[in-house]
């Protein structure tokens, strides 16, 4: 039995879902990206917010997969010791011998030992596991401790168009490393109570990194996630996010849907698991905006 058409129809099920991109309606200003003739060097984008559960990992996987669909070569970096990004792509991180941790702390680590296939064409992964939690302590005594990730990623940049770093939910040394080597930062914000609480601290940290470590760092954009079309409150929070960040807020809005937890179980992105869903369309729209910005 070939399960594909039937299961796809079940996963997609667009009729029961609210439209993608609301409340930015389905405004679709970002153009279809032109194919690339030449690849690299990569733009490095840190996906950061010290609040947990706002969609950093989900957005890293699905933005990455959508960019890969547009022919971009994408490298995802799991920079959270929880390893959720790796798990979300079907990689069992506790079984790995080589992870980002080795690249950070061993000068002779072989990058090809760490690189993992994601099952998505054009998209690779540098996985992490709990070993990475030790790095924060180990790096403290290193010379250039804030630049360890930048050093580790350098050799990958020529081979990719976009590197996405999934940060851990803290503003500690690992996140500082990500901001210090990134060209841009993407901030997912959940459309919920208190979502803006803590954002000032995040912006302050980004400001300090820009001043002291990485003058070229810029805010790529703010992504509204967990948008619940059934509640007025979520719309109010979205309005406040737009008030605070203006045109830095992406038109693409990620609705709250059970599909995302389901993709984690499936170990694949929404773009392949439910390719015709509104959730997949929303991440494709985000990918077009990211390419255009
Ligand atoms: P973070 O990396 O910021 O901690 P995650 O991406 O891991 O956040 O998301 C937290 C949880 O919420 C996960 O279980 C994920 O599957 C779920 N989730 C993420 N985005 C959505 C969404 N748009 N709708 C519903 N659940 C979501
Ligand atoms: Mg995460």
């Amino acid at each position: 039995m070939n399960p594909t058409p039937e299961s796809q129809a079940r996963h997609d099920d667009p009729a029961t879902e609210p439209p993608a991109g609301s409340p930015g309606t389905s405004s679709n200003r970002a153009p279809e990206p032109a194919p690339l003739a030449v690849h690299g060097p990569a733009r490095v984008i840190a996906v950061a917010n010290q609040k947990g559960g706002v969609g950093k990992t989900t957005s890293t996987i699905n933005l990455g997969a959508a960019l890969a669909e547009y022919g971009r070569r994408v490298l995802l970096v799991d920079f959270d010791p929880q390893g959720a990004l790796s798990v979300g792509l079907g990689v069992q991180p506790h079984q790995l011998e080589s992870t980002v941790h080795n690249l950070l702390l061993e000068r002779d680590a072989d990058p090809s030992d760490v690189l993992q296939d994601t099952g998505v064409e054009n998209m690779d992964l540098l996985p992490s596991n709990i070993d990475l939690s030790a790095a924060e302590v180990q790096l403290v005594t290193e010379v250039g401790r804030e630049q360890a990730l930048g050093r580790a990623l350098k050799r990958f940049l020529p081979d990719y168009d976009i590197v996405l770093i999934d940060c851990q939910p803290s503003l500690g040394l690992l996140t500082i490393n990500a901001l210090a080597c990134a060209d841009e930062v993407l901030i997912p914000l959940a459309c919920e109570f208190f979502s803006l609480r803590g954002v000032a601290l995040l912006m302050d940290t980004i400001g300090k990194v820009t001043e002291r470590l990485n003058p070229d760092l810029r805010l790529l954009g703010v992504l509204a996630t967990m948008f619940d079309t059934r509640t007025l409150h979520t719309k109010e929070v979205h309005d406040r996010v737009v008030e605070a960040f203006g045109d830095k807020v992406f038109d693409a809005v990620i609705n709250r849907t059970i599909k995302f937890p389901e993709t984690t179980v499936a170990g694949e992105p929404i773009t392949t698991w439910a390719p015709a869903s509104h959730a997949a369309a929303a991440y494709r729209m985000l990918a077009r905006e990211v390419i255009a910005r």
Side-chain angles (χ1 to χ4, degrees):
M1 189 184 88
N2 176 7
T4 310
E6 204 178 77
S7 57
Q8 265 188 12
R10 184 162 46 83
H11 297 159
D12 281 329
D13 197 20
T16 63
E17 278 187 71
S22 56
T25 60
S26 37
S27 76
N28 221 329
R29 278 185 270 157
E32 196 76 9
L36 288 180
V38 188
H39 294 278
R43 269 166 87 176
V44 179
I45 301 171
V47 180
N49 186 335
Q50 76 275 27
K51 208 166 146 64
V54 299
K56 289 182 290 297
T57 301
T58 303
S59 297
T60 304
I61 291 175
N62 295 303
L63 170 60
L67 288 165
E69 271 190 0
Y70 287 124
R72 270 53 184 175
R73 290 194 187 147
V74 178
L75 177 65
L76 303 186
V77 182
D78 190 348
F79 214 43
D80 181 348
Q82 297 293 324
L85 179 73
S86 306
V87 173
L89 287 163
V91 172
Q92 291 314 314
H94 52 275
Q95 293 167 359
L96 298 171
E97 290 199 359
S98 295
T99 63
V100 168
H101 179 252
N102 302 74
L103 294 178
L104 281 184
L105 288 147
E106 295 164 18
R107 292 175 68 191
D108 54 354
D110 182 349
S112 61
D113 283 347
V114 182
L115 209 57
Q116 294 272 327
D117 198 17
T118 62
V120 176
E121 198 188 343
N122 289 330
M123 187 163 89
D124 296 330
L125 167 71
L126 295 176
S128 282
N129 60 22
I130 198 69
D131 291 347
L132 187 62
S133 59
E136 198 136 29
V137 178
Q138 288 160 320
L139 281 175
V140 166
T141 54
E142 287 271 321
V143 177
R145 61 188 172 188
E146 289 99 350
Q147 276 93 5
L149 181 61
R151 286 192 296 274
L153 289 183
K154 216 173 221 164
R155 63 195 110 182
F156 294 98
L157 301 185
D159 299 331
Y160 293 92
D161 299 310
I162 300 200
V163 175
L164 296 175
I165 307 170
D166 182 25
C167 294
Q168 68 172 163
S170 98
L171 294 172
L173 187 51
L174 292 179
T175 299
I176 301 295
N177 260 269
L179 295 174
C181 73
D183 300 300
E184 295 157 307
V185 54
L186 187 158
I187 302 177
L189 278 186
C191 295
E192 297 170 339
F193 270 121
F194 306 132
S195 73
L196 284 162
R197 187 177 279 188
V199 170
L201 187 61
L202 175 59
M203 297 311 291
D204 187 51
T205 303
I206 293 170
K208 281 183 186 155
V209 170
T210 308
E211 254 172 56
R212 300 175 193 175
L213 295 166
N214 182 5
D216 298 327
L217 180 65
R218 66 179 199 106
L219 176 61
L220 173 62
V222 173
L223 175 66
T225 64
M226 312 279 182
F227 190 92
D228 189 339
T229 48
R230 295 163 306 179
T231 71
L232 186 60
H233 168 70
T234 207
K235 171 88 175 83
E236 286 167 0
V237 175
H238 187 269
D239 289 347
R240 288 192 52 205
V241 170
V242 172
E243 254 169 50
F245 289 99
D247 61 8
K248 281 291 176 188
V249 182
F250 290 106
D251 288 338
V253 171
I254 311 302
N255 288 333
R256 183 181 283 283
T257 157
I258 187 69
K259 284 210 163 47
F260 289 109
E262 286 173 358
T263 57
T264 307
V265 179
E268 62 176 293
I270 193 85
T271 46
T272 58
W273 195 75
S277 65
H278 290 295
Y283 274 107
R284 288 190 192 105
M285 180 170 162
L286 175 65
R288 292 195 299 277
E289 288 187 74
V290 166
I291 289 169
R293 278 191 187 189

